[in-house]
Amino acid sequence: MDKLRIRGGNPLKGQISISGAKNAALPLQAACLLTDEKLTLTNLPLLADITTMNRLLAQHGVEVHINGRDAFGSSGRSVELDAGDIFNLTAPYDLVRKMRASVLVLGPLLARFGQAKVSLPGGCAIGTRPVDLHIKGLQAMGAQIDIEGGYILAKAPEGGLVGAEFVFPQVSVGATENLMMAATLAKGETILMNAAREPEIGDLARCLIAMGAEIEGIGSDRLVIKGKDRLHGATYAVLPDRIEAGTFAMAAAITGGELELVGARMADLKSVVKTLAGAHVKVTETANGLLVASNGDLVGVDVMTEPFPGFPTDLQAQMMALMCVAKGASMITETIFENRFMHVPELTRMGANITVHGSSALVRGVPKLTGAPVMATDLRASVSLVLAGLAAQGETTVNRIYHLDRGYERVEAKLAACGADMERVKEED
Ligand code: UD1
């Protein structure tokens, strides 16, 4: 299993190109199931999760082509997805277990084919993460849903799903995406209230509109979707990854460096930029993206994760790494996932001073972290250890980096090009 070896202490300087957003790309890939025409996606990140989604789609019968070639089991910057000949309506446990976003095929399959069988994803490292809201929303649209043998068995009424009003009792990104996709092919109007407002939802809505859907309320928590008999093909470019951009902003900050994040958008990162300003990290807009600068004199700030436009849970671990070396204390509260402090014991092994009380972590800044062998069990926790390693004295080895590879494209190459002393070490299992 690959490791990353990092020798800390170099301030990062230079430019990093931000890749397309994984969390936008995955629902966009699933959206191809809504039409029998070709959906072409561009600006895809080169990541394992994107390949997993291509594989899931291929086993449903989608023809996946990259540069005109059959692309089963691989991925590329742009991909053509042709769901004209779907022969299998089951998303198997094997693939769903690997990647929870697989559940995003449920809404599109059910809406277009009247039935679907999708494995329940089960728990994951950061919490129980149920899919009850996806199910309740589809039931509100007339679907009959049974759970059998670990699978969701969904059946639309005779004549297809029907538009409905649905109020999310809790904000959910995935459930909003699933229901929005299903509603594009339902009979009549669907109104989704307390819908998630993440930029990735807007990206999906814009792609669906390009495919012929009628959606209003993009960027708000009330989405109105008028169902159509059919959608058509389109070409769509995935938006830049705000979480990757936020992560590299924190990498610049923790090393007292200066990075230009090419393609990063201020509008998607407002709460993060505000929080960083409180910690004395300067973020300004440039012609190409965002410029992040820090002299390394960081100050502790309190952070609470919230649905967009609040501070994203996907940047909580990275922010905690930053706060480990800030002056003063910082209270970090996680409100989205119940078990998302797995980086704490590892950061502590590097000399951090952190106490966890329920869903809050009190971080007391220390002057220096020291390198250590560490490992993490989820994607964002892993990258927080990379950030800590970049700032630490001595050598840090981050083990089991396959989590990291699921969400960050060539992270070591991008950081090393800006002066980080780090490399990937290949190892046999
Ligand atoms: C998406 C992101 C993930 C991010 C998360 C929150 C993708 C592929 N993943 O995950 O990176 O951390 O949003 O911003 O886009 N919940 C329920 N019932 C449900 C669905 C969700 O109780 O049916 C709960 C979850 O357990 C969690 C909260 O709602 O506590 C938010 O989860 P949700 O927004 O659905 O996250 P995902 O879409 O899975």
Side-chain angles (χ1 to χ4, degrees):
M1 225 174 272
D2 292 3
K3 303 173 179 185
L4 283 181
R5 191 180 295 142
I6 307 165
R7 280 162 292 264
N10 292 358
L12 299 181
K13 284 229 154 39
Q15 275 190 336
I16 295 186
S17 278
I18 300 305
S19 298
K22 166 178 85 80
N23 287 354
L26 295 171
L28 289 169
Q29 288 170 282
C32 79
L33 293 168
L34 290 164
T35 175
D36 60 358
E37 293 181 17
K38 204 161 63 185
L39 176 65
T40 303
L41 298 175
T42 63
N43 196 35
L44 285 166
L46 302 178
L47 296 172
D49 275 10
I50 304 299
T51 310
T52 304
M53 183 58 95
N54 280 343
R55 279 181 143 167
L56 175 66
L57 294 171
Q59 67 85 47
H60 287 304
V62 175
E63 279 183 31
V64 183
H65 284 106
I66 292 170
N67 302 329
R69 282 183 301 108
D70 185 1
F72 181 81
S74 69
S75 54
R77 269 298 156 229
S78 69
V79 69
E80 290 169 11
L81 302 167
D82 185 340
D85 192 12
I86 294 301
F87 50 71
N88 172 25
L89 299 176
T90 301
Y93 178 61
D94 267 12
L95 288 166
V96 183
R97 168 178 66 91
K98 255 197 187 164
M99 187 183 68
R100 289 181 44 86
S102 307
V103 81
L104 291 170
V105 300
L106 176 61
L109 285 177
L110 182 61
R112 182 160 153 227
F113 300 100
Q115 53 179 312
K117 180 176 171 188
V118 175
S119 170
L120 280 164
C124 76
I126 62 173
T128 49
R129 299 182 80 173
V131 288
D132 57 317
L133 301 175
H134 302 239
I135 292 175
K136 282 187 187 128
L138 293 171
Q139 281 171 331
M141 296 171 81
Q144 188 202 319
I145 298 198
D146 296 298
I147 307 292
E148 238 179 73
Y151 278 79
I152 305 166
L153 306 183
K155 228 175 153 28
E158 202 70 26
L161 293 175
V162 275
E165 281 195 13
F166 185 73
V167 185
F168 289 96
Q170 181 182 352
V171 178
S172 163
V173 174
T176 302
E177 291 165 346
N178 233 336
L179 296 190
M180 181 164 66
M181 287 191 279
T184 60
L185 291 181
K187 301 252 159 330
E189 187 176 87
T190 297
I191 304 180
L192 301 177
M193 283 169 281
N194 197 26
R197 287 183 277 167
E198 270 64 6
E200 293 76 22
I201 308 251
D203 214 38
L204 175 61
R206 277 183 278 271
C207 176
L208 293 171
I209 289 170
M211 294 166 73
E214 214 179 312
I215 302 174
E216 276 171 26
I218 296 179
S220 80
D221 63 356
R222 187 174 183 276
L223 294 166
V224 181
I225 303 123
K226 291 208 174 74
K228 299 277 176 192
D229 289 338
R230 59 185 305 273
L231 298 187
H232 52 71
T235 296
Y236 193 80
V238 179
L239 94 172
D241 195 324
R242 67 194 165 99
I243 304 300
E244 189 195 27
T247 301
F248 289 140
M250 291 173 199
I254 203 168
T255 61
E258 187 173 300
L259 286 180
E260 187 176 26
L261 306 173
V262 178
R265 298 183 191 176
M266 186 63 99
D268 297 345
L269 283 160
K270 275 191 185 149
S271 65
V272 176
V273 168
K274 198 167 157 217
T275 307
L276 287 175
H280 290 184
V281 180
K282 221 168 111 189
V283 183
T284 44
E285 279 184 285
T286 65
N288 302 318
L290 296 176
L291 183 71
V292 187
S294 152
N295 60 8
D297 270 335
L298 302 164
V299 177
V301 278
D302 292 344
V303 182
M304 186 184 284
T305 63
E306 286 170 328
F308 192 85
F311 191 95
T313 173
D314 285 352
L315 285 172
Q316 178 259 107
Q318 299 89 315
M319 190 66 199
M320 191 181 295
L322 190 63
M323 292 295 93
C324 286
V325 292
K327 276 201 191 67
S330 158
M331 180 71 89
I332 299 187
T333 305
E334 172 60 55
T335 71
I336 311 287
F337 293 111
E338 73 267 30
N339 188 21
R340 213 171 193 183
F341 283 145
M342 279 147 335
H343 39 290
V344 169
E346 300 300 300
L347 289 169
T348 305
R349 296 186 59 248
M350 298 177 72
N353 181 348
I354 308 170
T355 330
V356 175
H357 301 278
S359 60
S360 291
L362 177 62
V363 186
R364 291 189 176 87
V366 295
K368 267 273 166 243
L369 296 174
T370 49
V374 286
M375 73 176 204
T377 44
D378 85 71
L379 165 58
R380 310 301 171 185
S382 309
V383 85
S384 79
L385 300 175
V386 172
L387 298 193
L390 290 172
Q393 235 160 21
E395 190 173 289
T396 298
T397 337
V398 183
N399 294 292
R400 295 170 69 113
I401 56 165
Y402 62 88
H403 290 292
L404 199 72
D405 290 336
R406 288 185 48 195
Y408 291 90
E409 188 183 311
R410 299 182 310 115
V411 68
E412 71 281 10
K414 286 191 181 189
L415 290 171
C418 296
D421 184 353
M422 66 191 290
E423 74 224 351
R424 181 179 291 255
V425 184
K426 296 238 174 245
E427 245 192 28
E428 298 300 314
D429 263 9

